[in-house]
Amino acid sequence: MRLIQMRQLLLRIGVLLTTIFYLPVQLKAQGDLLITPRRIVFEGGSRLQEINLANSGSDTARYVISLVEVRMNVNGTFEFINAPDSGQLFASNFLRFFPHSVILPPKEAQVVKVQLQHTADLDTGEYRSHIYFRAVPKQQPLGDEKQLDSPQTISIKLTPVFGITIPVIIRVGKNNASASMSDISLTMEDTIPKLNLTFHREGNMSVYGDLSVDHISPSGKVTPIGSLKGVAVYTPNRARQLHVALARVSGVNYHSGKLRLSYLEIPTQMNAKVEVLATSEISLN
């Protein structure tokens, strides 16, 4: 087919682009959907847990809910997978949830229940899958589509499809996971101090906690300068690289004193004791 004929054919094709966003954040929010808690962990005798959904927007929204499998990369990003990596165990075969879709009017909330099943088949270890909340775009009524002024015009319609996932973890047996930090360094990027480090995980289960960073002056004054909530290293990963922007605080000299890093576990049960997973210090001299 000659080039001009190909161009004429392409000009008559309507293009629909659909973008799916996958983003884990502290308080799960995408579009106008708020989700709590940030993750679900089954351990001990718990067999049923709830996820609270809330529509903070001004329009009615619909979400389709499913179970998906996710890999964490060494830089902390995520990607969907179909087969487990070596040492990774999926939880989806041992979970059921309801409902499978929700319609949320503005400022309304709904509960999604997640339940264990077939637990007799579980061996010792940690199993993880993710619940995926996918927004269903509004359908434009027939006849409301804007007509093209010319058949020679390309029609491009951008339809963003927002999606959020939260991990659902099943733990069987004793948890002997531990964490440490290495390769800690401080760099300056456009006058913004940036902390670089690598988390290491050992043991049979994942680690999950909050990172806090303090500056300690030569005289011993302690000043909080940075934090990052919900830092995880999921099985089977042994390491995760992290970059944290630090605050420029009056009186803090990033060329003297030292930085103290604290990685504190986020308990899976209310009122449980907060454990220190790892600490480290680097000199700024």
Side-chain angles (χ1 to χ4, degrees):
M1 181 180 293
R2 292 181 301 177
L3 178 60
I4 188 169
Q5 291 175 315
M6 179 64 74
R7 292 183 61 186
Q8 290 174 344
L9 176 61
L10 292 174
L11 288 172
R12 288 170 171 80
I13 297 177
V15 181
L16 174 64
L17 299 180
T18 302
T19 304
I20 297 178
F21 296 93
Y22 170 74
L23 178 66
V25 294
Q26 277 84 41
L27 176 64
K28 294 291 183 178
Q30 183 70 65
D32 295 316
L33 179 66
L34 298 177
I35 303 178
T36 54
R38 311 174 198 181
R39 62 178 187 150
I40 296 291
V41 179
F42 288 97
E43 58 185 350
S46 63
R47 297 188 62 85
L48 178 67
Q49 297 200 41
E50 296 181 346
I51 302 172
N52 299 292
L53 310 180
N55 181 0
S56 63
S58 57
D59 296 322
T60 296
R62 181 188 174 203
Y63 295 88
V64 174
I65 309 169
S66 61
L67 284 168
V68 296
E69 313 302 348
V70 171
R71 169 192 294 131
M72 168 180 271
N73 297 314
V74 69
N75 62 357
T77 60
F78 293 84
E79 60 181 295
F80 295 119
I81 58 176
N82 294 317
D85 293 330
S86 177
Q88 183 174 3
L89 301 171
F90 290 160
S92 52
N93 289 336
F94 309 100
L95 299 171
R96 63 186 296 263
F97 62 91
F98 47 92
H100 285 206
S101 66
V102 297
I103 297 177
L104 289 175
K107 313 305 179 185
E108 293 292 328
Q110 184 166 336
V111 169
V112 174
K113 296 185 178 183
V114 185
Q115 186 176 35
L116 289 183
Q117 64 177 357
H118 311 311
T119 54
D121 300 329
L122 288 170
D123 294 324
T124 298
E126 180 176 281
Y127 301 74
R128 175 175 55 88
S129 293
H130 291 237
I131 291 188
Y132 180 34
F133 300 87
R134 180 177 63 83
V136 179
K138 287 185 177 181
Q139 297 297 320
Q140 189 174 24
L142 294 177
D144 287 355
E145 299 89 347
K146 184 177 180 181
Q147 299 299 318
L148 298 178
D149 296 331
S150 169
Q152 301 299 310
T153 302
I154 296 178
S155 173
I156 300 178
K157 181 180 179 181
L158 298 176
T159 306
V161 178
F162 298 108
I164 311 171
T165 73
I166 67 169
V168 181
I169 294 171
I170 306 171
R171 288 176 173 167
V172 181
K174 185 178 180 180
N175 182 355
N176 61 16
S178 62
S180 60
M181 294 176 278
S182 72
D183 305 322
I184 304 171
S185 65
L186 182 69
T187 58
M188 301 294 290
E189 294 187 3
D190 296 329
T191 74
I192 302 298
K194 185 177 180 181
L195 184 68
N196 312 288
L197 69 150
T198 300
F199 277 101
H200 300 275
R201 182 194 63 83
E202 296 293 337
N204 62 341
M205 298 185 187
S206 61
V207 292
Y208 183 76
D210 293 339
L211 174 69
S212 62
V213 185
D214 297 320
H215 177 267
I216 304 176
S217 70
S219 64
K221 181 181 178 181
V222 179
T223 305
I225 54 173
S227 64
L228 193 61
K229 296 185 177 298
V231 179
V233 184
Y234 290 124
T235 57
N237 296 46
R238 293 293 183 184
R240 174 182 174 180
Q241 298 168 350
L242 199 66
H243 308 282
V244 184
L246 303 178
R248 295 194 62 86
V249 181
S250 176
V252 171
N253 184 353
Y254 280 99
H255 299 286
S256 67
K258 58 185 178 181
L259 298 183
R260 181 175 62 200
L261 289 69
S262 302
Y263 185 41
L264 304 181
E265 181 184 24
I266 299 177
T268 57
Q269 298 179 358
M270 294 290 292
N271 302 320
K273 181 182 178 181
V274 176
E275 300 287 345
V276 178
L277 292 173
T279 59
S280 189
E281 292 185 352
I282 61 167
S283 175
L284 301 178
N285 299 329

